[in-house]
């Protein structure tokens, strides 16, 4: 049976790639430009031990997904800037049991000019360039046989089909991967996914350090030719844009963490909407009308390979999904 995926963000394209590689017929319906929303806006941090905030379930699923990354990106046929760069975390308490203290000359050697004397080191965290990743996953899925239709806005799920804004109906096994917009697809059930705006800034120059650096209120992410600093967490609905207050928040935390950042030129700034969920974990599984993979919040890039693998195994092989990802766990579906 054909699978119909709603949304060509990283999650939808990763699921399409996995289905197509398993020999399934796949059509992906995207209302605008594949990958142009949260997925390409993301900073590209793959840091489950930092993002778990002590929740071992979140940590373990994140670590499992990160463990898939080397093989996953090497199968895409493009360089996506994936680096096992490690993370430096400038907080008072250890972010994770694996974190080791880093201070003095050792800290200065890893990140020159940091404003703190002590930090924590996590060697296995990674980063990549999300702009390259979304293009590579989309292209790999298309090469594997998935069909992408743009300008295709899905308005509702119906019995074994989706209805587009044009009135067209498309039958198939439906998987909704519409990011922060998931609850707007009528008929899916009441899923508590909400937009959480994040603003980011890219600064010029080749960064003098390799790891991702976390402070209490934000992060610095080196890329080949720029430094990305972020990010705000704003409950403003779908209000698009970059604000003076957002830029002040992002840049001031970056400068207080690494004063030399203040001299760097601003290249560009942008924002997008994380698909937030009440407990920070995604909603992945079957609902009354179809399948869903949404609500990946701050970790959708990290969790994309594991989401695709586990969801497709559930769809095709009836394999179990993590109970902590069940869409119905909030009791409203
Ligand atoms: C500022 C910021 C920084 C982030 N940094 C990181 C990070 O460093 N690491 C990390 O792991 N995660 C990060 N994230 C989170 C990550 O970006 C998201 O969790 C992930 O990209 C979600 O992917 P998605 O495919 O579900 O959503 P999206 O990328 O938003 O894609 C959803 C797609 O669905 C389409 N769509 C919506 N409704 C419809 C419809 N009705 N019909 C057809 N198409 C539809 C949209 O046009 C869009 O293309 C960040 C997010 C933001 C905003």
């Amino acid at each position: 049976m054909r699978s119909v995926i709603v949304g060509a963000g990283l999650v939808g394209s990763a699921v399409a790639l996995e289905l197509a590689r398993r020999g399934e017929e796949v059509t992906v319906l995207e209302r605008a430009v594949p990958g142009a929303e949260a997925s390409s806006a993301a900073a590209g941090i793959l840091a489950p031990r930092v993002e778990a905030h002590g929740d071992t379930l979140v940590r373990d699923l994140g670590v499992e997904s990160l463990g898939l990354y080397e093989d996953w990106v090497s199968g895409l046929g493009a360089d996506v800037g994936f680096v096992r760069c490690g993370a430096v975390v400038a907080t008072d308490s250890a972010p994770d049991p694996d974190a080791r203290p880093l201070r003095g000359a050792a800290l200065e050697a890893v990140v020159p000019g940091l404003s703190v004397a002590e930090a924590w080191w996590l060697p296995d965290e990674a980063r990549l360039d999300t702009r390259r990743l979304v293009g590579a996953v989309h292209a790999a899925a298309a090469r594997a046989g998935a069909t992408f239709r743009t300008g295709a806005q899905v308005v509702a799920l119906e019995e074994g089909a989706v209805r587009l804004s044009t009135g067209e109906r498309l039958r198939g096994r439906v998987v909704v991967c519409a990011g922060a917009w998931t609850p707007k697809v009528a008929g899916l059930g009441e899923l508590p996914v909400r937009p959480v705006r994040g603003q980011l800034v890219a600064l010029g120059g080749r960064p003098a350090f390799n790891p991702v650096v976390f402070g209490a209120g934000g992060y610095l992410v080196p890329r080949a030719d720029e430094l990305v600093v972020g990010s705000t967490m704003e409950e403003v609905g779908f209000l698009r844009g970059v604000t003076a207050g957002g830029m002040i928040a992002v840049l001031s935390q970056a400068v207080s963490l690494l004063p030399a950042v203040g001299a760097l030129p601003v290249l560009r700034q942008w924002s997008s909407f994380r698909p937030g969920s009440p407990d920070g974990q995604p909603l992945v599984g079957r609902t009354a009308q179809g399948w869903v993979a949404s609500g990946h919040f701050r970790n959708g890039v990290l969790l994309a390979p594991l989401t695709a693998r586990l969801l497709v195994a559930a769809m095709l092989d009836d394999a179990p999904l993590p109970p902590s990802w069940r869409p119905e766990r909030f009791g409203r579906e």
Side-chain angles (χ1 to χ4, degrees):
M1 182 199 277
R2 171 174 60 187
S3 296
V4 176
I5 297 179
V6 182
L10 183 58
V11 173
S13 292
V15 172
L17 172 61
E18 184 76 12
L19 282 165
R21 282 184 174 159
R22 297 267 318 252
E24 296 293 308
E25 187 187 345
V26 188
T27 299
V28 187
L29 302 173
E30 166 57 50
R31 63 180 181 184
V33 178
E37 290 290 355
S39 299
S40 56
I45 304 166
L46 310 175
R49 295 167 189 83
V50 184
E51 289 290 340
H53 301 291
D55 185 328
T56 51
L57 215 51
V58 174
R59 176 193 191 273
D60 292 351
L61 289 164
V63 167
E64 188 178 348
S65 198
L66 179 52
L68 300 176
Y69 245 99
E70 267 96 352
D71 279 354
W72 194 56
V73 296
S74 75
L76 296 177
D79 177 8
V80 300
F82 176 84
V83 193
R84 281 270 180 186
C85 56
V88 170
V89 186
T91 51
D92 292 340
S93 52
D96 183 87
D98 284 352
R100 296 289 162 260
L102 195 60
R103 54 178 75 92
L107 178 57
E108 180 66 16
V110 176
V111 185
L114 214 54
S115 60
V116 296
E118 290 189 358
W120 301 94
W121 173 238
L122 286 161
D124 292 330
E125 313 304 74
R127 60 177 162 83
L128 50 72
D129 188 327
T130 47
R131 296 165 303 175
R132 293 198 228 161
L133 180 71
V134 294
V137 175
H138 172 237
R143 276 198 310 275
T147 301
F148 285 80
R149 277 180 58 184
T150 54
Q153 165 114 23
V154 172
V155 291
L157 303 195
E158 294 169 351
E159 285 286 295
V162 295
R163 181 158 44 85
L164 278 72
S165 55
T166 54
E168 182 189 352
R169 289 179 89 245
L170 209 66
R171 295 197 64 76
R173 183 169 40 201
V174 179
V175 191
V176 179
C177 304
W181 297 268
T182 297
K184 291 180 182 271
V185 179
L188 186 58
E190 198 187 327
L191 296 178
V193 175
R194 70 185 197 285
V196 180
R197 191 172 71 183
Q199 302 185 39
L200 289 166
V201 186
L203 304 171
R206 180 178 284 267
F209 57 95
N210 201 31
V212 175
V213 180
F214 289 89
Y219 48 71
L220 316 175
V221 188
R223 289 182 176 169
D225 53 358
E226 63 185 24
L227 179 66
V228 174
V229 303
S231 175
T232 59
M233 293 270 284
E234 301 167 272
E235 304 277 352
V236 292
F238 286 105
L239 186 62
R240 285 197 188 268
V242 169
T243 62
M247 290 298 96
I248 289 168
V250 165
L251 291 171
S252 60
Q253 73 79 28
V255 172
S256 72
L257 206 51
L258 190 68
V261 162
L264 299 178
V266 174
L267 297 181
R268 58 187 197 286
Q269 56 281 318
W270 65 96
S271 74
S272 191
F273 303 106
R274 303 174 185 89
S277 80
D279 58 5
Q281 292 223 57
L283 290 79
V284 182
R286 194 196 282 277
T287 72
Q289 291 284 11
W291 296 85
V292 65
S294 183
H296 289 77
F297 204 23
R298 291 173 60 96
N299 290 303
V301 181
L302 170 67
L303 294 174
L306 187 66
T307 300
R309 174 178 288 195
L310 295 183
L311 178 63
V312 171
M315 291 169 66
L316 302 186
D317 312 326
D318 213 17
L321 281 156
S324 61
W325 287 6
R326 287 158 56 108
E328 69 274 26
R329 67 186 180 277
F330 304 105
R332 290 193 272 176
E333 191 262 318

